[in-house]
Amino acid sequence: MAPADQLDAAAEEDGFSIVYVRDKVLKSLRETIKEGKEVTKEAVQGLTADEEEAVDPEEMMVPVDMEGIEELDDVAALVEQKGAKAVAEAFLKAQDRFEGNKDKMPADAVPQPMTAKEWRELAEQAELEDMEEEELEDEEEEEDL
């Protein structure tokens, strides 16, 4: 599972599917589409901060609501399947959806923009928690045998 979809699992339970993307790349894609220019797959794949060396730790990551978007854990495959422009438009709609729905979220649970460094730390923490849960489930299954 990619770090982009590991965050805010609780939001998913409330009908939201919150992921974090690079703010400057999202803004650039919005401008590219507005101007009618070609959207490249590299630009779309740049939305996620999977490659640590490629992203400044102080760069801002913003939440978007990807509810209804399948196969989000593999943006490259999604781009191959649907095309770069369609995927970029889906992320832009997701940002608009988040902005339109954040007043429906509990005030203390609305995801906030954060730096790439903060986002990575949360992603690593979520990954560790997932691994711990899997280990507990494995132990319970072994006990049941």
Side-chain angles (χ1 to χ4, degrees):
M1 186 177 284
D5 58 347
Q6 291 175 342
L7 300 177
D8 295 345
E12 231 175 81
E13 294 169 11
D14 296 331
F16 304 104
S17 183
I18 305 298
V19 297
Y20 278 79
V21 297
R22 297 170 63 195
D23 187 40
K24 73 179 184 180
V25 176
L26 193 63
K27 286 177 180 174
S28 174
L29 285 170
R30 188 175 295 276
E31 192 63 28
T32 298
I33 289 173
K34 182 179 174 184
E35 293 174 358
K37 295 180 180 174
E38 182 182 351
V39 176
T40 66
K41 70 179 183 179
E42 292 80 13
V44 175
Q45 291 170 342
L47 279 167
T48 58
D50 290 341
E51 297 179 29
E52 193 168 324
E53 66 278 351
V55 181
D56 180 342
E58 297 307 311
E59 184 176 333
M60 293 306 296
M61 304 290 290
V62 294
V64 297
D65 183 1
M66 296 301 287
E67 181 66 27
I69 305 297
E70 298 179 21
E71 301 173 28
L72 186 59
D73 56 335
D74 190 350
V75 175
L78 200 56
V79 169
E80 289 299 320
Q81 182 183 33
K82 308 235 184 238
K85 184 176 181 184
V87 175
E89 288 172 338
F91 274 97
L92 295 175
K93 287 177 186 172
Q95 182 183 36
D96 297 341
R97 185 180 310 112
F98 173 77
E99 291 300 324
N101 288 331
K102 64 183 181 182
D103 61 333
K104 297 175 186 170
M105 298 176 188
D108 61 341
V110 176
Q112 299 296 316
M114 65 181 76
T115 66
K117 179 182 177 187
E118 293 167 324
W119 175 81
R120 273 202 187 84
E121 289 168 357
L122 282 176
E124 288 171 8
Q125 180 182 351
E127 193 171 318
L128 285 174
E129 289 172 3
D130 286 348
M131 287 174 24
E132 288 173 1
E133 285 179 27
E134 287 177 19
E135 287 175 11
L136 285 174
E137 288 172 4
D138 289 346
E139 288 175 13
E140 289 173 4
E141 287 177 11
E142 288 175 12
E143 289 174 6
D144 291 343
L145 295 179

